[in-house]
Amino acid sequence: MTLNRVFLVSLLLAAPAQAEKLANKLFGAMGAPSNQDSMPIGSYAKGCAAGLVELPETGPTWQAMRLSRHRNFGQPAMIQFLMDLSATARDIGFGKGLYIGDISQPRGGPMTSGHASHQIGLDADIWMLPPRSLTLTEAEREEISSIPVRSADQRSVTEYWTKVHRELLKRAALDPRVDRIFVAAAVKIEMCRTAKAKDKKWLQKIRPIAGHDTHFHVRLKCPKGARLCETQSPTVAELSKGGDGCDETLMWWVTDYLNPPKADPNKPKDEEDPPKKKGPRDFTMADLPKQCKGVLASD
């Protein structure tokens, strides 16, 4: 056991005041996966991950980006999915494959910056930029940027959006391992514009969300036998009411979300402000599943 790990374990077993150290600091300090069988533990936004696998920095059809972030670790099912989708991307003409962004930290858990999710090794960000080269150096991977496929006003796609982007998202959504895919609302609206009735089952997996103008976010289902993994609820079928999701809930993202209705000045204010909801960067180990202590303590 390394000195760093000894220190972390001692924190977990120490007096209550010390044990309240923020979970993202503990998980962010881990440099390697736990020596355990692979298991996603908890939910996508409140959990950790045992036995993660590192996505090789470079492969025949992919490159992992922003290596300094040390977030190219995932469940075996996720790593295999990314390898498979990158080969599909190349085959359909999406450059040479995929540039892959954040997956998870070596042991998952809350992150010190960025994502609320990506905690159990079943989330991955994929750049909208089709790769022209798969021989980028580590330094080049820090400097290069993806492309925005959503306009600055958030209401439409840009000239960078292509039919190949649509086909890539369709291929990803058709994969039975995929639970849902998060994209900018403008992307979903554009996909709905050209949708046919037969597209309903996979198109309902494409979910609008803020902050996804240069990448899309794939979330896998809990793998079979992953007893500690919490399935996300509601399902995409429930969210879309059995349809394709091309409805008023989608248009909210380019109406009320961008221009919220003004508050009624005559409405009485609550006597007390509602308590602030605890976020991932506020979590302590007490907020996470109990098995996460074992993930940190493992050799």
Side-chain angles (χ1 to χ4, degrees):
M1 189 178 290
T2 66
L3 288 175
N4 186 43
R5 203 165 297 148
V6 169
F7 173 70
L8 290 171
V9 173
S10 67
L11 277 179
L12 293 172
L13 301 177
Q18 289 178 298
E20 285 298 299
K21 188 174 178 70
L22 293 176
N24 65 352
K25 302 296 184 185
L26 294 169
F27 280 98
M30 305 308 293
S34 66
N35 185 22
Q36 298 171 297
D37 292 338
S38 297
M39 177 65 67
I41 300 169
S43 69
Y44 299 93
K46 186 181 284 188
C48 60
L52 290 187
V53 176
E54 183 174 12
L55 176 72
E57 295 176 2
T58 298
T61 52
W62 75 84
Q63 281 202 290
M65 309 302 284
R66 304 291 193 264
L67 296 175
S68 63
R69 295 162 70 93
H70 207 45
R71 295 176 178 177
N72 56 318
F73 296 82
Q75 296 292 335
M78 173 54 82
I79 301 305
Q80 188 60 58
F81 167 80
L82 292 171
M83 292 177 175
D84 294 344
L85 185 65
S86 68
T88 296
R90 176 201 58 195
D91 293 346
I92 65 172
F94 194 78
K96 294 180 179 293
L98 294 177
Y99 286 148
I100 298 169
D102 289 354
I103 311 172
S104 289
Q105 299 175 137
R107 303 192 186 200
M111 295 183 179
T112 55
S113 64
H115 313 283
S117 59
H118 290 255
Q119 294 191 32
I120 58 176
L122 294 174
D123 293 286
D125 289 342
I126 299 171
W127 284 21
M128 291 291 193
L129 176 67
R132 293 182 179 179
S133 170
L134 295 178
T135 59
L136 297 178
T137 65
E138 186 170 342
E140 288 170 332
R141 296 184 222 195
E142 299 293 329
E143 296 167 359
I144 191 174
S145 296
S146 188
I147 52 173
V149 296
R150 184 215 69 196
S151 63
D153 67 5
Q154 304 188 43
R155 298 179 186 278
S156 60
V157 293
T158 68
E159 69 274 15
Y160 295 119
W161 175 257
T162 68
K163 292 181 179 179
V164 184
H165 283 88
R166 185 185 191 279
E167 184 63 20
L168 177 62
L169 285 166
K170 176 181 177 181
R171 298 290 186 99
L174 283 169
D175 193 304
R177 293 170 288 190
V178 172
D179 180 73
R180 63 196 72 195
I181 299 171
F182 298 110
V183 299
V187 168
K188 171 83 177 193
I189 290 170
E190 178 63 20
M191 295 180 79
C192 289
R193 189 181 65 81
T194 58
K196 297 179 173 58
K198 64 181 180 181
D199 296 326
K200 180 178 70 175
K201 286 295 184 181
W202 67 264
L203 191 54
Q204 67 179 207
K205 289 186 180 182
I206 308 295
R207 305 299 308 165
I209 199 168
H212 287 62
D213 58 327
T214 61
H215 71 276
F216 62 96
H217 173 163
V218 176
R219 174 165 293 169
L220 299 190
K221 299 172 182 176
C222 292
K224 186 176 181 180
R227 58 185 179 80
L228 299 178
C229 181
E230 295 181 20
T231 300
Q232 185 165 355
S233 179
T235 66
V236 293
E238 291 168 340
L239 286 169
S240 62
K241 301 176 183 177
D244 55 14
C246 302
D247 54 23
E248 70 280 355
T249 62
L250 171 60
M251 299 312 297
W252 176 87
W253 287 95
V254 292
T255 55
D256 287 0
Y257 172 74
L258 297 179
N259 296 294
K262 294 182 179 180
D264 184 354
N266 298 316
K267 184 177 180 180
K269 295 182 179 180
D270 294 335
E271 292 185 9
E272 295 182 5
D273 292 332
K276 183 181 178 182
K277 187 177 180 181
K278 205 172 196 179
R281 279 176 282 285
D282 302 314
F283 291 161
T284 65
M285 294 305 296
D287 296 306
L288 302 181
K290 62 182 181 181
Q291 295 88 352
C292 291
K293 287 187 178 181
V295 170
L296 279 183
S298 172
D299 288 339

